[in-house]
Amino acid sequence: MKYLCALLLLRPVCCLAQMHCADTLVMDKYVVFFRTISDMRGPIKQPCGSTFAKDGAIRRVIYDSFDRPYFGYQIRITLLDGGKYRAEMGAIQGSRLKSFAKFPPAVTFSANEYLDVPVLEEVKSRGRSFWLEYIYSWLVYLNLIQPDPPTAQTPGRVVDYLTIWRKGMPGIVLPEFRGWAQALPTVTALTLDRPLVKGAFHQQEDKIRSEVGAIGVVVWLYREGHGRYLFSASPRPGYTRSGIAEGAMLQFGVHDGGSTSRNCIIGLRSNVVPQRGPWWIWVKHEPGFRPPAGPWTEADLKNSMPAVGAEKSIDRSRQRDGLR
């Protein structure tokens, strides 16, 4: 799995609000898009921190509730052959900011692939429990006790999500989603239930919904003139982590290898997976694929009706391995 991660222990918090922020940096040879999701405490002015470039590296600074620099790290990205990139994360040189106790190894990834950097995580500590915090807040509200003196509070959970692409080429920005993206178990079956493609291949939302669906470890959707897109809950050769499943919606990046890139949204009649998301989805594009005969006609396909299916060969290999 392609991700960068680390963990800090922070105080528990009673009430959290999720904040989304986005930023784009144009470097000498590449462009990087950041989407940060943060749980906030107090009247913090910069809930998602600041992103800037210096000395050929991308630097991230997170602030406490007094708007003072609290946590920092940097990512140095190197271009490799074959459209690949290498990311190395480390401390900001000359800085006294808190940072990761242990930096993860370098990561190699593809252009437009989704990466995540869990910057700050919250876990339970020996502070006040939820109910004690709740009772305390009511006692303060009723003026029965004096509140604790104000102190600077650190940000809550903060996760950086990013994509990168070569400068001068089209790129994919991460879509918005609720919660924190996670990886599904490798044998998870995905469901494409009567998909409706929304405003990704064309400027306006399509009005034709497929009346068929597919369930499998690897499922696919075909669009006339664009080819087939395969979706998996786990990494596979030729696939990139460039999709997000959340409820009855599947979002993924569309890049035809030429001058166009955009996000695709597929609306479904039922959830992609039973578990509440969002979840990472691995995607593969086959532009030359032609769908087999099915409950659709050539006229349906030319009229933008999606065709869907499941890779049966993969299901048979699971059975040979003793998986059900």
Side-chain angles (χ1 to χ4, degrees):
M1 181 181 299
K2 296 179 174 60
Y3 62 91
L4 305 173
C5 67
L7 182 68
L8 287 183
L9 304 182
L10 303 178
R11 290 196 308 129
V13 64
C14 177
C15 301
L16 297 175
Q18 197 176 82
M19 177 72 70
H20 290 243
C21 306
D23 202 356
T24 302
L25 284 181
V26 179
M27 308 293 283
D28 290 338
K29 297 181 179 180
Y30 60 86
V31 179
V32 60
F33 173 84
F34 272 87
R35 183 176 300 286
T36 302
I37 302 179
S38 176
D39 279 347
M40 301 318 308
R41 296 178 182 173
I44 190 167
K45 296 180 181 179
Q46 295 177 291
C48 297
S50 61
T51 310
F52 57 96
K54 187 173 182 180
D55 300 330
I58 299 169
R59 297 188 174 185
R60 291 278 292 130
V61 176
I62 308 298
Y63 299 84
D64 64 19
S65 59
F66 286 170
D67 203 25
R68 296 183 303 204
Y70 169 75
F71 182 93
Y73 74 96
Q74 71 175 25
I75 303 177
R76 190 171 298 275
I77 298 177
T78 305
L79 276 67
L80 306 177
D81 295 335
K84 298 285 187 178
Y85 297 85
R86 176 184 174 88
E88 297 176 88
M89 190 165 64
I92 297 177
Q93 298 298 320
S95 171
R96 295 184 178 181
L97 294 175
K98 294 180 182 295
S99 195
F100 300 120
K102 182 179 180 181
F103 290 96
V107 176
T108 300
F109 58 99
S110 301
N112 297 313
E113 189 166 15
Y114 299 168
L115 278 80
D116 60 328
V117 184
V119 180
L120 302 177
E121 292 275 1
E122 285 195 332
V123 299
K124 291 183 179 180
S125 68
R126 296 182 179 179
R128 280 193 294 251
S129 68
F130 172 84
W131 288 111
L132 287 177
E133 193 75 38
Y134 179 77
I135 294 170
Y136 165 80
S137 64
W138 271 103
L139 292 174
V140 172
Y141 177 77
L142 296 173
N143 293 319
L144 297 177
I145 64 173
Q146 294 297 315
D148 293 336
T151 58
Q153 295 176 326
T154 59
R157 186 177 186 181
V158 179
V159 179
D160 288 340
Y161 299 90
L162 63 144
T163 53
I164 186 171
W165 59 90
R166 188 178 294 272
K167 188 175 181 179
M169 298 294 291
I172 299 294
V173 300
L174 281 124
E176 289 194 27
F177 49 89
R178 299 182 298 274
W180 316 94
Q182 305 174 68
L184 287 159
T186 56
V187 295
T188 301
L190 304 179
T191 300
L192 293 183
D193 183 11
R194 292 161 289 179
L196 174 66
V197 179
K198 300 182 178 181
F201 298 97
H202 305 287
Q203 292 299 316
Q204 297 181 348
E205 180 177 323
D206 295 335
K207 301 299 181 182
I208 299 179
R209 178 188 292 274
S210 174
E211 291 304 318
V212 298
I215 301 176
V217 177
V218 173
V219 291
W220 55 264
L221 177 140
Y222 169 85
R223 288 299 304 278
E224 187 74 11
H226 299 276
R228 177 170 75 157
Y229 294 88
L230 299 101
F231 308 103
S232 169
S234 56
R236 297 180 184 276
Y239 289 67
T240 60
R241 196 173 78 169
S242 54
I244 293 282
E246 186 175 16
M249 183 172 64
L250 176 61
Q251 302 183 75
F252 63 98
V254 175
H255 182 213
D256 62 6
S259 59
T260 58
S261 290
R262 46 194 173 269
N263 290 322
C264 176
I265 303 175
I266 301 176
L268 303 162
R269 289 288 176 84
S270 60
N271 291 351
V272 181
V273 293
Q275 302 94 320
R276 297 181 62 179
W279 304 102
W280 293 121
I281 299 296
W282 278 258
V283 184
K284 181 180 180 181
H285 184 205
E286 295 179 345
F289 177 85
R290 290 296 302 174
W296 46 72
T297 66
E298 287 295 326
D300 290 335
L301 297 177
K302 291 182 179 179
N303 200 26
S304 296
M305 176 181 286
V308 296
E311 290 293 86
K312 296 181 179 179
S313 61
I314 293 177
D315 291 335
R316 287 197 297 268
S317 66
R318 290 175 66 225
Q319 294 175 3
R320 287 196 303 267
D321 294 336
L323 300 173
R324 296 293 185 265

